[in-house]
Amino acid sequence: MYKYNNFYKKNFIFKIIENDIRNKKYNIICTRFPPEPNGYLHIGHIKSICLNFSIAKFYKGIFFLRIDDTNPSTENIKYIKSIKKDLIWLGFKWDKNIKYSSNYFDLIYKYAIELIKKNLAYVDELNIKDIKNYRGTLLIPGKNSPYRNRSIEENLELFKKMRLGRFPEGKVSLRAKIDMQSKVIVMRDPVLYRIKFQEHHQTGKKWCIYPTYDFSHCIADAIEGITHSLCTLEFQDNRILYDWILNNISIKHHPKQYEFSKLKIEYGITSKRNINILIKNKIVSGWDDPRLLTISGLRRKGYTASSLKDFCYRIGITKQNNIIEISSLESCIRLELNKIAPRAMAVLRPLKIIIDNFPSNKKIKLLIPNHPNNKNMGYKNIYFTKEIYIDILDFSEIEKKNYKRLILGGKVRLRYSFIIKAKKIIKNKNGNITCIHCIYYKDTLGIKIDKKKRIIKGIIHWISCSYSKPALFYLYNNLFIKKNINNIDNILSFLNKKSLLIYNGFIEKNLLQLNNNNQHFQFEREGYFFFDKKYSNKNKIIFNRIISLKKKNN
Ligand code: ATP
Ligand code: MG
């Protein structure tokens, strides 16, 4: 369903590959998606997977999933599980086994020794703070470390000691010997290895030194035979280092790095670090909170895999750093759900209506379609009874301008049912309305044009009290009040206090039984909802609102 072809035609990376193929540069195209297992995946990652996966698929190449696990202090096996789960759910199949950067620790260590032997790396005793100070800024050139000119033998000896755990953490590190005056800060003797006395989820206690991202990433790409190493724009400068490392070690294959812009969405965050801040501060309930743009959050909210992929293919790949409107994501799911979601009636803010001229022991069976434009989706029965619920917002005591709902003394049609007229309001001690007494017009069922010229204000949804079941409705709004929350330090100052509203209402009694395999519904006039299976139980039925309907009747 998604715009695969357009994506292919417009995308600048595809053009590069097309050219490489024409020039017979590669026999087989190989891409990878390399997440760091330090959090759950988010929608930005889908953009990256769509790109890498579709390239491999298009050119009948290879697509790897590589867990980029070089920093055991922030990593966790539960994140690896969630990454796998998300990819499978999205329908992206990786080739062969899952790769891990840690698979290559032995080789990466060997290449570090090679650099030392070529006098291109040294063991530094500056601490992290001093390394930073010596590095300078864009305007101030860096300064050489006093340990930069050790002999190769001494460096080999010290690096071996690093590996054997003879130094405390932070005491020494291995750095590339490049150019402290380089215009590109990344090239000012970047750190290649640091000490971490941390057990690793894949390699256990084997290592107490771990390679940095810059050192391991290019080597992992080369070992796997990646042809096009695609990453986001913040790594543009690192490309020079990527090439420097591969040019200076004895590895045959040299992948090319290309950068594209990160996906950013209005009022939302696509950064694991920031999502973590929200979780730690209990602003959201966890990685799968439906207000987050994590894959697990979007899935729980009710987004389908196809709508998310559709969205990523539509926005395409560029080098422009722009921010995407949240409405373009929403329109993808709306488009899909409009076709597949059965319609139903649910009352979110119930107000009881008593039909005075309807007998209490009677019910009228009404046959209604599951989808107004798709008869193949079948029909179901609902019941009209003496007591029904309507939404509190659909009643007003007094006449209001442009108000098309029930008012005292006025008439409305109940969807798929009769016309009713409000006669009397009952209030409690506090002056709150507890119920409305109405009458119904017997001869108005199924008559579209009101022949007897009964003026109706509009059509409202309703539900029979006896054929309903309580449910909780979670309505989500933007998490932030600021459009662009990316690159902002104090994200907690821009929170939307009304990002979650919970309503205690009612659904049709047999709703979930009738649609056994379906969790998506359009509740008339309220929007598209998703049954939150995971967090519901026998006594608590939860529906998450995915999106409202396009504003028309409301
Ligand atoms: P985060 O800031 O969320 O931690 P990251 O880049 O550190 O993002 P990784 O797990 O290292 O996360 O990312 C795996 C891949 O996904 C990388 O190639 C990265 O460039 C890409 N990626 C991450 N965020 C986005 C995004 N917002 N849009 C597109 N691609 C992204
Ligand atoms: Mg990262």
Side-chain angles (χ1 to χ4, degrees):
M1 87 175 265
Y2 35 82
K3 302 273 173 284
Y4 210 74
N5 279 327
N6 273 345
F7 181 69
Y8 165 74
K9 273 185 227 144
K10 283 188 192 159
N11 187 321
F12 77 97
I13 290 173
F14 271 103
K15 286 190 183 131
I16 293 168
I17 300 177
E18 198 75 1
N19 211 25
D20 289 345
I21 288 180
R22 215 173 295 127
N23 295 329
K24 301 203 166 34
K25 216 166 155 186
Y26 306 108
N27 292 327
I28 187 141
I29 299 297
C30 185
T31 59
R32 85 287 174 265
F33 171 61
E36 213 182 317
N38 59 354
Y40 282 51
L41 299 182
H42 52 63
I43 192 162
H45 294 115
I46 308 182
K47 173 174 172 173
S48 171
I49 311 169
C50 279
L51 175 66
N52 283 293
F53 179 82
S54 63
I55 287 171
K57 199 164 173 192
F58 233 91
Y59 295 107
K60 299 194 170 46
I62 295 171
F63 166 73
F64 288 131
L65 166 62
R66 183 200 311 145
I67 304 295
D68 202 2
D69 54 349
T70 57
N71 186 2
S73 23
T74 56
E75 293 163 10
N76 195 310
I77 202 97
K78 75 172 178 200
Y79 298 133
I80 299 179
K81 279 192 192 144
S82 77
I83 290 169
K84 283 196 249 178
K85 181 177 171 185
D86 286 347
L87 256 79
I88 292 168
W89 179 73
L90 285 165
F92 291 120
K93 272 206 185 120
W94 54 86
D95 279 90
K96 300 183 188 134
N97 298 330
I98 294 184
K99 308 281 178 192
Y100 292 85
S101 296
S102 56
N103 291 345
Y104 316 128
F105 279 173
D106 284 322
L107 279 170
I108 298 171
Y109 181 77
K110 232 183 65 195
Y111 290 124
I113 304 250
E114 185 182 348
L115 287 180
I116 298 174
K117 284 186 176 162
K118 287 178 173 165
N119 201 17
L120 291 174
Y122 62 99
V123 173
D124 196 2
E125 280 174 60
L126 289 182
N127 59 34
I128 297 172
K129 211 172 127 205
D130 285 336
I131 289 182
K132 205 170 162 225
N133 288 337
Y134 273 61
R135 185 164 281 147
T137 62
L138 277 177
L139 299 174
I140 307 165
K143 270 193 316 192
N144 284 355
S145 160
Y147 306 99
R148 199 175 196 260
N149 288 322
R150 295 183 198 276
S151 69
I152 292 175
E153 288 69 34
E154 199 183 350
N155 279 319
L156 284 173
E157 195 54 37
L158 289 171
F159 188 50
K160 220 177 260 169
K161 277 189 174 167
M162 265 176 80
R163 185 189 175 167
L164 291 172
R166 302 278 159 79
F167 298 108
E169 246 176 74
K171 177 81 180 130
V172 291
S173 58
L174 183 75
R175 296 178 70 180
K177 196 187 277 190
I178 309 180
D179 179 6
M180 289 305 287
Q181 267 79 50
S182 171
K183 287 206 169 62
V184 185
I185 294 182
V186 172
M187 296 297 272
R188 295 183 188 168
D189 291 9
V191 173
L192 305 179
Y193 261 98
R194 66 272 204 242
I195 299 171
K196 277 179 196 283
F197 289 103
Q198 184 95 41
E199 214 174 306
H200 189 285
H201 46 93
Q202 303 299 316
T203 56
K205 288 187 178 152
K206 183 171 174 190
W207 298 91
C208 64
I209 54 169
Y210 291 96
T212 52
Y213 169 87
D214 278 324
F215 192 46
S216 60
H217 201 83
C218 52
I219 297 176
D221 279 349
I223 293 171
E224 287 168 8
I226 303 298
T227 50
H228 300 79
S229 172
L230 311 174
C231 61
T232 36
L233 282 176
E234 74 274 21
F235 292 104
Q236 205 153 7
D237 281 354
N238 302 54
R239 191 194 329 132
I240 306 170
L241 177 57
Y242 186 105
D243 290 336
W244 184 92
I245 294 169
L246 294 182
N247 285 335
N248 284 296
I249 60 173
S250 51
I251 202 161
K252 273 199 197 116
H253 183 65
H254 190 146
K256 288 277 278 179
Q257 180 185 302
Y258 299 96
E259 307 88 21
F260 61 95
S261 60
K262 270 198 162 172
L263 169 61
K264 291 175 189 158
I265 297 188
E266 279 180 353
Y267 303 105
I269 45 174
T270 43
S271 143
K272 281 178 278 185
R273 196 181 63 85
N274 280 337
I275 295 171
N276 235 325
I277 294 177
L278 297 179
I279 294 171
K280 289 216 169 97
N281 285 283
K282 300 206 165 28
I283 307 296
V284 294
S285 58
W287 286 96
D288 68 348
D289 189 298
R291 287 167 292 179
L292 292 175
L293 293 169
T294 51
I295 299 178
S296 46
L298 290 163
R299 175 170 57 230
R300 195 178 143 201
K301 195 174 186 183
Y303 272 86
T304 58
S306 49
S307 67
L308 295 172
K309 288 189 283 189
D310 185 25
F311 167 72
C312 288
Y313 287 122
R314 275 167 201 264
I315 56 168
I317 301 288
T318 66
K319 274 184 179 283
Q320 254 93 51
N321 241 327
N322 46 14
I323 179 155
I324 308 288
E325 287 178 10
I326 181 83
S327 58
S328 36
L329 172 62
E330 291 176 345
S331 67
C332 289
I333 185 75
R334 198 179 273 122
L335 213 68
E336 184 173 332
L337 293 182
N338 184 34
K339 286 190 204 125
I340 63 157
R343 274 45 172 176
M345 292 199 275
V347 174
L348 274 58
R349 311 154 198 88
L351 170 63
K352 193 181 261 187
I353 300 281
I354 300 173
I355 313 284
D356 288 339
N357 59 342
F358 194 85
S360 54
N361 57 356
K362 200 181 155 187
K363 61 183 181 192
I364 293 178
K365 189 154 78 170
L366 303 166
L367 187 67
I368 67 169
N370 282 320
H371 195 297
N373 309 322
N374 182 1
K375 302 287 179 277
N376 291 334
M377 282 174 75
Y379 292 80
K380 68 175 168 193
N381 291 318
I382 60 166
Y383 294 92
F384 183 73
T385 53
K386 185 173 183 72
E387 295 193 354
I388 62 169
Y389 293 118
I390 65 164
D391 197 291
I392 246 166
L393 299 178
D394 285 338
F395 178 76
S396 170
E397 219 173 327
I398 46 159
E399 181 99 45
K400 286 190 280 190
K401 206 177 162 199
N402 294 332
Y403 188 72
K404 298 221 177 74
R405 312 289 168 232
L406 190 59
I407 56 164
L408 191 60
K411 292 170 198 158
V412 284
R413 176 178 287 281
L414 299 173
R415 180 87 161 134
Y416 297 118
S417 180
F418 300 96
I419 289 174
I420 58 167
K421 179 179 182 178
K423 302 285 269 187
K424 194 170 138 198
I425 302 172
I426 308 291
K427 291 184 179 175
N428 62 14
K429 280 195 301 227
N430 307 324
N432 297 323
I433 301 175
T434 53
C435 84
I436 314 284
H437 282 268
C438 293
I439 54 161
Y440 86 116
Y441 295 92
K442 217 175 174 170
D443 55 349
T444 55
L445 186 65
I447 299 169
K448 272 199 178 151
I449 304 152
D450 194 15
K451 285 183 184 152
K452 291 189 178 161
K453 297 235 173 355
R454 289 192 182 102
I455 310 296
I456 58 158
K457 285 262 185 187
I459 304 173
I460 62 172
H461 62 285
W462 59 282
I463 206 163
S464 156
C465 296
S466 344
Y467 291 89
S468 66
K469 209 175 193 176
L472 290 171
F473 300 91
Y474 283 37
L475 269 52
Y476 301 101
N477 293 306
N478 296 332
L479 204 42
F480 294 97
I481 48 171
K482 196 172 166 56
K483 237 185 202 178
N484 191 352
I485 196 75
N486 301 283
N487 312 324
I488 280 189
D489 287 335
N490 53 337
I491 56 165
L492 296 181
S493 324
F494 298 98
L495 287 170
N496 173 10
K497 301 225 163 58
K498 292 188 178 154
S499 61
L500 170 61
L501 302 170
I502 302 175
Y503 293 98
N504 275 287
F506 294 96
I507 52 167
E508 293 167 20
K509 197 171 183 176
N510 294 326
L511 186 72
L512 293 168
Q513 285 93 312
L514 282 175
N515 296 285
N516 235 342
N517 295 317
N518 205 333
Q519 284 175 261
H520 289 103
F521 296 93
Q522 186 200 96
F523 289 144
E524 304 235 357
R525 299 179 55 231
E526 292 290 358
Y528 292 99
F529 285 74
F530 190 60
F531 172 50
D532 199 340
K533 228 177 197 165
K534 188 170 159 198
Y535 290 85
S536 296
N537 56 43
K538 255 209 224 139
N539 307 315
K540 189 168 148 188
I541 294 173
I542 300 173
F543 276 93
N544 295 318
R545 187 168 73 180
I546 312 160
I547 30 155
S548 57
L549 299 174
K550 259 207 171 130
K551 288 210 165 41
K552 44 178 189 192
N553 298 325
N554 290 327

